[in-house]
Amino acid sequence: MPAPPLNILTTQRGEVVVVKLDGIVDASTIDALRRILEPLCLQPGARIVVDGSLLSYINSLGFGIFFKLSQVCREQQGRLILAGLQEKLLIVFKILGLEKLLAFAPTCEEAVATLSGSGGS
Amino acid sequence: MSSVVADTRSNVQIRVPGELRFLALIRSVITMLARTAGFPDTDVDKIELAVDEACTNVMEHAYRTACPKPAVELEVRWEPGRFVVDIVDQGTPFDFSNYVPPKFPDHWLSGRTRGAGLFLIRSCMDETEYESEPGRANRLRLVKLLQPA
């Protein structure tokens, strides 16, 4: 049985990097996500939008990684916004006390607009 | 080899290899069964998350040193007003009685990225119970109550 997919597409929109996630984030895909996202977050002053509009599932490992990488980004004077998440996923961020520790936007476009022209942190 | 067995008493048994790549299969079957039992989407999502977290814990922790990894067995049954999922493994037992739930957001701010799974399981389900027979099997029972329509 093949591993369940997490397709990761990275595009540059001006000074903003958009990482579009399509699929699921669980224990079987978390390493692939980290391998792509962590180097981006380590770039000084990086502005990153994680477009999660096509994500159907995130488990606790995923919530932890999004927080950790958001912190990494902040330490490098960058910013990371999670965009377009389904309501059912946002509810779990709230259960875990992450809603005030992470930046969210309703859509990818709004997140890109927020970060375009803004300084890092 | 994965298997799904159903009987006439609304019992379903699922047996899958204890490998992370089978989590999606487990979630698919559990989601389908929870919908069949009549849960609304919000509760189906909670059951899916709880079962995924429990199976992830088995595969990543209880089976950490096992090679090859034993199977994970799920026994699902629904009774009037109750949906019960038993997750059975042959791995290292978990000290369920001494578990202290993390405090959020302090948990994250202290630098941890893991350790929220059991908290989510308890948040999502109405009852949880853990039983271990050392050297034989561990059984985590998850119960979701079904409200009358």
Side-chain angles (χ1 to χ4, degrees):
Chain A
M1 181 180 168
L6 173 65
N7 293 319
I8 306 171
L9 177 64
T10 302
T11 54
Q12 190 81 32
R13 302 265 299 267
E15 296 178 344
V16 178
V17 178
V18 176
V19 181
K20 190 176 185 72
L21 305 180
D22 180 357
I24 59 162
V25 176
D26 71 1
S28 70
T29 60
I30 194 82
D31 289 340
L33 174 62
R34 187 203 289 263
R35 273 198 302 273
I36 300 287
L37 205 48
E38 191 163 28
L40 297 173
C41 293
L42 284 167
Q43 296 292 318
R47 301 176 199 180
I48 300 170
V49 173
V50 175
D51 180 356
S53 57
L54 296 178
L55 273 182
S56 58
Y57 183 79
I58 306 175
N59 81 345
S60 64
L61 298 172
F63 295 108
I65 283 296
F66 283 130
F67 173 68
K68 177 68 178 175
L69 294 181
S70 174
Q71 291 288 88
V72 168
C73 212
R74 198 169 298 167
E75 287 163 9
Q76 300 295 326
Q77 282 72 53
R79 289 184 70 190
L80 183 151
I81 297 180
L82 292 167
L85 292 173
Q86 294 181 39
E87 184 63 23
K88 73 169 189 174
L89 302 179
L90 288 172
I91 288 170
V92 186
F93 277 100
K94 288 177 185 167
I95 292 173
L96 293 175
L98 286 167
E99 83 276 18
K100 290 180 180 160
L101 301 180
L102 291 165
F104 298 94
T107 66
C108 181
E109 294 308 316
E110 287 173 74
V112 170
T114 298
L115 293 183
S116 295
S118 74
S121 57
Chain B
M1 188 72 177
S2 307
S3 63
V4 179
V5 179
D7 68 23
T8 55
R9 296 166 296 174
S10 297
N11 288 4
V12 175
Q13 294 177 312
I14 310 161
R15 182 181 170 88
V16 300
E19 298 170 21
L20 296 172
R21 62 199 173 104
F22 289 94
L23 286 169
L25 174 66
I26 292 170
R27 288 197 305 271
S28 296
V29 175
I30 287 294
T31 298
M32 196 181 308
L33 294 173
R35 286 212 175 92
T36 302
F39 285 102
D41 286 347
T42 51
D43 283 344
V44 172
D45 293 339
K46 288 178 181 175
I47 294 167
E48 177 188 22
L49 183 59
V51 171
D52 175 272
E53 295 289 350
C55 292
T56 298
N57 283 345
V58 170
M59 294 170 182
E60 289 208 318
H61 301 298
Y63 289 171
R64 181 189 301 274
T65 57
C67 185
K69 295 187 185 299
V72 179
E73 296 178 39
L74 290 90
E75 300 168 9
V76 187
R77 63 182 182 280
W78 52 102
E79 309 155 353
R82 287 166 66 86
F83 184 80
V84 183
V85 183
D86 282 0
I87 296 156
V88 182
D89 70 81
Q90 278 82 44
T92 306
F94 174 69
D95 188 0
F96 203 78
S97 58
N98 284 328
Y99 170 73
V100 178
K103 288 185 168 40
F104 299 114
D106 298 358
H107 178 83
W108 308 114
L109 293 171
S110 67
R112 295 187 182 94
T113 59
R114 291 172 171 258
L118 188 48
F119 175 86
L120 277 178
I121 291 169
R122 286 182 159 177
S123 300
C124 290
M125 303 302 284
D126 294 307
E127 298 171 21
T128 56
E129 183 182 308
Y130 185 77
E131 182 183 33
S132 177
E133 286 185 65
R136 296 191 64 188
N138 311 305
R139 177 181 299 264
L140 176 63
R141 173 161 297 168
L142 309 178
V143 179
K144 192 75 178 168
L145 302 179
L146 181 56
Q147 306 300 327

